[in-house]
Amino acid sequence: MSKVIKFADKILNKLIIFKTGSRYLQIFIILLLSELILGCSDTVNKQIRIPSTELYHQAMVSIEDEYYNEAIKNFEILVEEHAGTRLATLAHLKMGDIYFIQSKWEESETSYRQFLLLNRRSHLTPYVLNRLIALNYEKNHYGVFFKSRDYDRNMEPNRKLLKEYQRFYLLFPKSPYLKEVKEYHRRAMSDLAEHELNVANYYFSKQAYHSAIGRYLFLLKNFPGFPQTANVAERLIKTYHLNRQPELADEMQRVLDSLRERNLLAQHDTSEE
């Protein structure tokens, strides 16, 4: 680099002897030397690239110290400058974990899926699928200080969770994460059932009885373990009567009485308490 600067200095000194008529030549030489110096500077910068192991180590230290933004920065440099390496692939997983901690669900999901795309047969796949299931459940928590679940909101994350659960159960039926995944599946099913009940009750309140009946029947058919099954059946019977369908109301009443006689609804009632 110093040799280039000395060479440029000599050339510029010699430009003094050029006549005024050679001004265009002077400008051309100056521009040429500028490009040469900048090119050498870029080459030097590229040669000082930080090794992937050092970037990964710095990022992990930042995570331990809870400097998550600093860790993300190092992981992003690692992914950009060392693409295709094992540590770059692992960086996507770690970024997913950080975004999960920060409740940045979209960024977390993107990072996790990028890891799976680059590393399809990793032994870490069960862990990543478990995290995808967890974040889709957490997406439906609302509130700044006191988190709660609003069953009138978008239930799409829960539907995605059910798909991820099916994938997980088929691929890793003996995984140590299965117990945790099953719990998320149970909660998602409960949330979806509550959502369907809210929608059915809304139609009922608007005297849209035909739509309400459809929702109540869907709820009874697809969520048999729902704690409020008896309540749903009773609402359905009432809706049949209001919709002038007494025969269907009587038939539903017989089914409900039969279930109660065999204590098939008792377990749901006790689990609700």
Side-chain angles (χ1 to χ4, degrees), residues 89-90 114-125:
T89 301
L90 197 56
Q114 187 64 24
F115 172 80
L116 292 177
L117 183 65
L118 296 173
N119 204 5
R120 297 178 183 275
R121 298 183 179 181
S122 171
H123 67 285
L124 294 171
T125 299

Side-chain angles (χ1 to χ4, degrees), residues 15 46 62 68-69 139 142 206 210 225 227 261 263-264:
L15 286 176
K46 289 178 182 178
S62 297
Y68 297 125
N69 291 334
K139 276 182 181 180
Y142 299 95
K206 297 298 180 180
H210 182 75
E261 287 175 4
N263 294 322
L264 294 179

Side-chain angles (χ1 to χ4, degrees), residues 163-178:
K163 292 180 180 178
E164 294 291 352
Y165 170 79
Q166 292 174 352
R167 179 184 178 189
F168 187 99
Y169 192 80
L170 287 173
L171 295 176
F172 309 103
K174 296 182 180 180
S175 169
Y177 297 108
L178 185 59

Side-chain angles (χ1 to χ4, degrees), residues 101-119:
I101 293 172
Q102 296 177 327
S103 300
K104 296 181 178 179
W105 309 124
E106 300 300 331
E107 293 88 341
S108 180
E109 182 170 1
T110 299
S111 297
Y112 282 141
R113 294 196 184 282
Q114 187 64 24
F115 172 80
L116 292 177
L117 183 65
L118 296 173
N119 204 5

Side-chain angles (χ1 to χ4, degrees), residues 32-79:
L32 181 63
L33 290 173
S34 298
E35 289 296 327
L36 179 62
I37 293 173
L38 288 174
C40 292
S41 177
D42 290 341
T43 303
V44 171
N45 289 335
K46 289 178 182 178
Q47 290 175 348
I48 333 182
R49 191 172 62 172
I50 303 175
S52 60
T53 52
E54 185 174 341
L55 284 169
Y56 188 83
H57 175 71
Q58 290 176 359
M60 293 303 294
V61 170
S62 297
I63 291 176
E64 291 178 4
D65 295 335
E66 298 185 0
Y67 295 140
Y68 297 125
N69 291 334
E70 187 65 28
I72 288 288
K73 181 180 177 181
N74 282 319
F75 282 135
E76 287 176 342
I77 296 173
L78 174 56
V79 168

